Amino acid sequence: MPFFVYGTLRPGEHNHDLFLRGRIRSEEPGRMGGLVLYAGPGYPYADDGPGGSVLGEIVTARPGSYAELLAELDALEEYVPGEARSLYERVARDAVLADGVTVVRAWVYVAAPAVAARLRSGGTLIEHGDWRGARTSAPARGEAGEARGARAEG
């Protein structure tokens, strides 16, 4: 299954080259509905939001790279299935390609429940759903989370 990325894993961003270069077969612009986007400390968080939409890319791994890439992205996103301290959860959702018609099922990393609750009560919502347009007002990668390593989003 492809991945829907909306932050530092997007083309041209820091973690794209570190994790995806040479390991993907394709990447296509798309949107994922039913989500809203919050600014994080150098990386964004997507959360459930009826009527919302997040802009990103749908990334398909090369055959033979998938299992390793999945494990590395889970580690990058600090996602451990069933672990309450995870920052993100990896869930399968439908995304729509830029043509506005083609639907693709993809993994996406969304804010884990405890993180989502904090964001909903006091986070900075990115109204237009595009982190690239909003990140100039957020701290640069590493300013708030350097001790946690090279973070991403999904």
Side-chain angles (χ1 to χ4, degrees):
M1 187 169 359
F3 299 90
F4 179 79
V5 298
Y6 54 84
T8 67
L9 287 166
R10 290 176 74 183
E13 301 297 332
H14 175 73
N15 283 327
H16 181 276
D17 287 348
L18 290 174
F19 291 90
L20 302 178
R21 184 173 299 279
R23 300 164 88 185
I24 58 174
R25 182 179 65 201
S26 67
E27 55 194 8
E28 300 178 67
R31 283 196 167 273
M32 190 167 277
L35 296 174
V36 293
L37 203 58
Y38 288 93
Y43 47 89
Y45 285 97
D47 185 28
D48 289 327
S53 182
V54 172
L55 181 68
E57 273 74 32
I58 299 154
V59 176
T60 304
R62 288 180 182 230
S65 297
Y66 185 81
E68 180 182 28
L69 182 59
L70 180 65
E72 287 183 20
L73 293 180
D74 281 354
L76 175 69
E77 303 293 5
E78 299 182 37
Y79 166 67
V80 178
E83 174 59 54
R85 292 179 299 189
S86 291
L87 295 179
Y88 292 88
E89 291 185 332
R90 178 173 34 88
V91 297
R93 299 265 176 101
D94 289 339
V96 178
L97 296 179
D99 67 9
V101 177
T102 307
V103 176
V104 176
R105 191 81 167 161
W107 290 121
V108 62
Y109 292 91
V110 298
V115 173
R118 286 192 303 271
L119 291 169
R120 290 175 194 150
S121 68
T124 302
L125 185 66
I126 300 171
E127 297 282 340
H128 50 74
D130 185 357
W131 180 67
R132 285 185 170 162
R135 71 173 179 208
T136 54
S137 61
R141 187 195 69 76
E143 285 181 24
E146 190 64 39
R148 298 194 79 109
R151 293 278 316 124
E153 84 322 304

